[in-house]
Amino acid sequence: MISSLTGTVRHVGLHSAVIDVGGFGMLVHATPRTLSGLHVGREASVETSMVVREDSMTLFGFSDAAEREVFEVITGVSGIGPRLGLSILAVHTPEEVRIAATAGDVKAFTRVPGIGPKGAQRIVLELAGKLVPTGDPAAAAGGTAEQPWKGQVLEALVGLGWTEKDAGKAIDATVEAEPEAVEAGDVGQILRTVLRGLGRGSARAGR
């Protein structure tokens, strides 16, 4: 099993990256938080978890061992596959997942796209006693990591026709101009705010 990779970053996408290790391009699926720390042309190290199935072997990458551990525990829950596990870690930091699991916070898991009330209840029940908070306030708050909502907003904008570069600039401009609009991390609200900014920019360009 491959538990970590160190090599030169060749590509960074919305959901995955390619890391060149000894001449082999290793495709690694990861959260926006992890991907934000990877830069094309630079060397990087990621912790990995390999999911082996009859027809595939897929690598999932993490910024540290703590994130990988949470991923492996939550994907042990019935009905939670690797993709949904990554979605949970895209919305919540590993420490937030630990806190929600310990506190039995069903609402925290329903904020993840694809998880309804019944699924969230099952997650809370199955994770009981398996994940314990580390007590690190910085980890709970996400530290200085990339905003977990950013990847979802970026993906939505690209789907609406903007380039990844223009979408990224628009998001950064919104964070700077309207910080209060992004504080809650509400993806729908942030997307609407960014779209309003893009609309104003288009209107000025058309004058």
Side-chain angles (χ1 to χ4, degrees):
M1 300 293 279
I2 300 173
S3 61
S4 66
L5 291 177
T6 297
T8 303
V9 179
R10 294 303 182 198
H11 171 75
V12 180
L14 290 176
H15 308 290
S16 62
V18 176
I19 300 177
D20 189 330
V21 181
F24 293 91
M26 309 293 283
L27 178 66
V28 181
H29 299 272
T31 65
R33 187 179 299 110
T34 298
L35 292 170
S36 69
L38 304 179
H39 305 280
V40 174
R42 297 185 188 176
E43 185 171 282
S45 294
V46 292
E47 301 294 319
T48 59
S49 179
M50 178 180 281
V51 176
V52 180
R53 292 179 174 164
E54 289 184 4
D55 58 348
S56 66
M57 290 189 295
T58 308
L59 275 176
F60 295 87
F62 310 94
S63 57
D64 53 43
E67 188 177 36
R68 180 180 62 190
E69 179 187 2
V70 171
F71 171 81
E72 291 180 342
V73 172
I74 59 180
T75 52
V77 173
S78 57
I80 303 297
R83 305 290 181 180
L84 195 50
L86 278 190
S87 294
I88 292 173
L89 286 168
V91 174
H92 299 294
T93 66
E95 186 70 2
E96 287 170 345
V97 175
R98 291 176 179 275
I99 292 170
T102 301
D105 187 353
V106 173
K107 268 190 173 180
F109 291 105
T110 60
R111 288 200 287 272
V112 179
I115 298 179
K118 289 184 178 179
Q121 185 66 52
R122 185 179 67 251
I123 291 171
V124 165
L125 289 173
E126 293 196 33
L127 288 182
K130 295 180 180 178
L131 289 173
V132 179
T134 64
D136 183 351
T144 58
E146 187 75 17
Q147 298 94 331
W149 49 261
K150 189 170 183 178
Q152 297 174 59
V153 174
L154 186 66
E155 181 179 6
L157 290 171
V158 171
L160 289 171
W162 276 275
T163 65
E164 188 172 336
K165 182 178 179 181
D166 287 343
K169 286 182 177 179
I171 292 171
D172 291 341
T174 299
V175 171
E176 183 177 348
E178 302 184 60
E180 69 285 352
V182 304
E183 283 179 0
D186 185 316
V187 174
Q189 178 185 332
I190 296 168
L191 178 60
R192 289 191 291 272
T193 304
V194 176
L195 286 170
R196 283 199 300 270
L198 284 165
R200 289 193 294 269
S202 298
R204 285 196 294 270
R207 288 176 185 172

